[in-house]
Each structure stands twice: as C-alpha cells, then as structure tokens.
Amino acid sequence: MDKYEKIKGLFEAAADPAAAAAMSDYMRGKFIFYGIAAPKRRALYRDFLKAEKKNGAVDYAFLDRCWADEHREFQYVVFDYLTALENFLTYDDIFVMGKYVRTKQWWDTIDFFDEIIGGIGLRDGRVNGLMLDWSLDGDFWVRRIAIDHQLGRKEKTDAALLEKIIVNNLGSNEFFVNKAIGWALRDYSKTNPAWVKDFLSRHGGEMSKLSLREAGKYIR
C-alpha cells in the first residue's frame, strides 16, 4: 500500500460524519471533510512525517495526490508535510507549490502558504521580488499571500517591502485583501508602532475601514 492509500485508510477509519457536517458548514459548504479534528488527524500520520523528514526530500507526487483528494483533511496533510520538511524547501519550491496556491483556495490554505513562503523568504532574498510581483497578481488570494508573508517576523520585517506591497493593494473592495492589510500592519505595530503610525498618517485616507480598524488595534 502506498503512502496516500495508507493515510486514506486511516482517515476513513477515523471519520466522524456529524463532525464532518459541522466542519463543512463552518467552511460555508465549500469542501467536504472526514470530520477529524486537527490533533487526532496529526496523530494519525505523525510517525509517517518523521520518516519523511529523515528522507530529506519533498515527495511532490504524494502531495499532488493529497491535494487532488476532495476531502479537506488531505490539503491539511500537505500543510503538515511541508511544515515538517520546511528546512529542505527552497525558492524553486515556491513555483512547484504554485499549483496548490491557485486551486482549492480559501483562507485556511492561503494563510498556510503565506507562512511557509515567508519562511523561505527569510533564507532567500529572491522571495522579496517575487512577493512584490504577487502583490499585483490578478488573483486576490495570491495578493493576500504577498501582503501577509512577513507576519511574525518582528524586527526582521522588511518595512520598505511591506509598504510597497500594501500600497499596491490600497483601494481594493475585496474583504480578504483589506483584512490582510490590517493584519500585516497590526502585527508589525507590535514591533514598530511608530512606523505603522507614520504609514497610517500617509496612507490612511486610501485604506478601508476594515484595514484601519485592524491596523490600529494595538496603537495608542
């Protein structure tokens, strides 16, 4: 039995129809679920991920099969797999992951990829230019990744890049873009409130109420 089929068997055995229905409702009916809560799901394949990490190489054929599965838990397998092998990911992997970024999109997948791509960016400066390009992409989910890929960097945040990316997205009517702008500024305000205050003084008039509300949450 191959990797995918083995995990599929574990998921089918652990399925909870009532929980699956609730999970699907929470995601607005966009995806179907087995109904396995995250701690239990991760426990099912914890040993598998440990073995894959020892291999030191990403098995994209396996990940492709997981991503193609209609159950949302399999997209989460992809997340946990890439997180486990994060130290082996390089700039080139971003382009391979692009097929995941642009399909089966919703906030749960997108907010994972802004984290994993942001981690690669800390190791490879070429990601800065790519994220600037993504900030102008026609797909607003791709723009959301660009906006939020520096979340959690604190003093390592490239403020000039953050400003360029956000300015490229001002005036948007898309909720998930405006929320991302607010989150990015709110997060950086914990490290550099003066910079965020200055940004808001210069660009606040172009920002949505949602972005302003989120950005100013920790600013006094």
Side-chain angles (χ1 to χ4, degrees):
M1 185 181 297
D2 67 17
K3 303 173 185 178
Y4 166 78
E5 292 294 342
K6 183 175 182 179
I7 292 176
K8 188 174 183 68
L10 294 171
F11 281 173
E12 289 175 347
D16 181 334
M23 290 178 180
S24 182
D25 287 345
Y26 178 71
M27 300 296 279
R28 301 185 183 179
K30 292 180 177 292
F31 312 101
I32 66 172
F33 288 80
Y34 284 112
I36 308 170
K40 184 175 182 180
R41 185 192 76 242
R42 290 180 178 131
L44 290 174
Y45 50 77
R46 182 179 295 117
D47 291 341
F48 163 73
L49 290 184
K50 288 180 180 178
E52 289 296 297
K53 190 173 182 179
K54 289 180 181 178
N55 290 337
V58 178
D59 184 350
Y60 280 109
F62 165 71
L63 295 184
D64 286 350
R65 293 189 71 188
C66 291
W67 199 263
D69 194 284
E70 62 182 351
H71 294 87
R72 199 58 165 171
E73 282 91 347
F74 266 107
Q75 280 83 72
Y76 301 155
V77 171
V78 174
F79 300 168
D80 292 331
Y81 185 105
L82 290 172
T83 299
L85 276 74
E86 184 174 9
N87 290 337
F88 302 105
L89 298 177
T90 68
Y91 177 75
D92 292 335
D93 285 285
I94 298 175
F95 300 95
V96 183
M97 289 186 282
K99 59 193 172 189
Y100 308 144
V101 168
R102 294 180 182 275
T103 58
K104 300 191 176 185
Q105 296 166 308
W106 196 235
W107 58 264
D108 56 341
T109 58
I110 297 303
D111 290 354
F112 165 77
F113 283 114
D114 66 42
E115 180 178 347
I116 204 76
I117 291 171
I120 297 171
L122 284 173
R123 303 190 295 271
D124 193 321
R126 291 177 293 175
V127 174
N128 289 356
L130 181 61
M131 291 299 98
L132 194 56
D133 289 343
W134 280 24
S135 74
L136 296 168
D137 197 275
D139 186 332
F140 72 82
W141 289 116
V142 175
R143 299 201 303 276
R144 181 179 168 96
I145 290 175
I147 294 165
D148 279 347
H149 83 281
Q150 294 195 81
L151 287 178
R153 285 191 181 179
K154 299 181 179 180
E155 69 282 350
K156 294 181 181 179
T157 299
D158 185 329
L161 176 64
L162 178 64
E163 177 160 355
K164 289 176 183 177
I165 287 174
I166 291 177
V167 168
N168 282 346
N169 284 275
L170 294 179
S172 173
N173 293 320
E174 174 51 56
F175 170 86
F176 287 105
V177 167
N178 290 328
K179 188 80 168 179
I181 290 171
W183 278 353
L185 291 170
R186 181 185 67 188
D187 182 69
Y188 193 44
S189 74
K190 300 174 189 177
T191 299
N192 194 341
W195 185 93
V196 175
K197 285 181 181 179
D198 178 65
F199 181 95
L200 295 177
S201 71
R202 291 182 288 112
H203 297 290
E206 307 166 73
M207 294 171 63
S208 71
K209 291 180 180 179
L210 173 60
S211 296
L212 288 170
R213 183 169 64 250
E214 292 288 341
K217 186 173 183 179
Y218 300 120
I219 295 177
R220 297 290 183 266

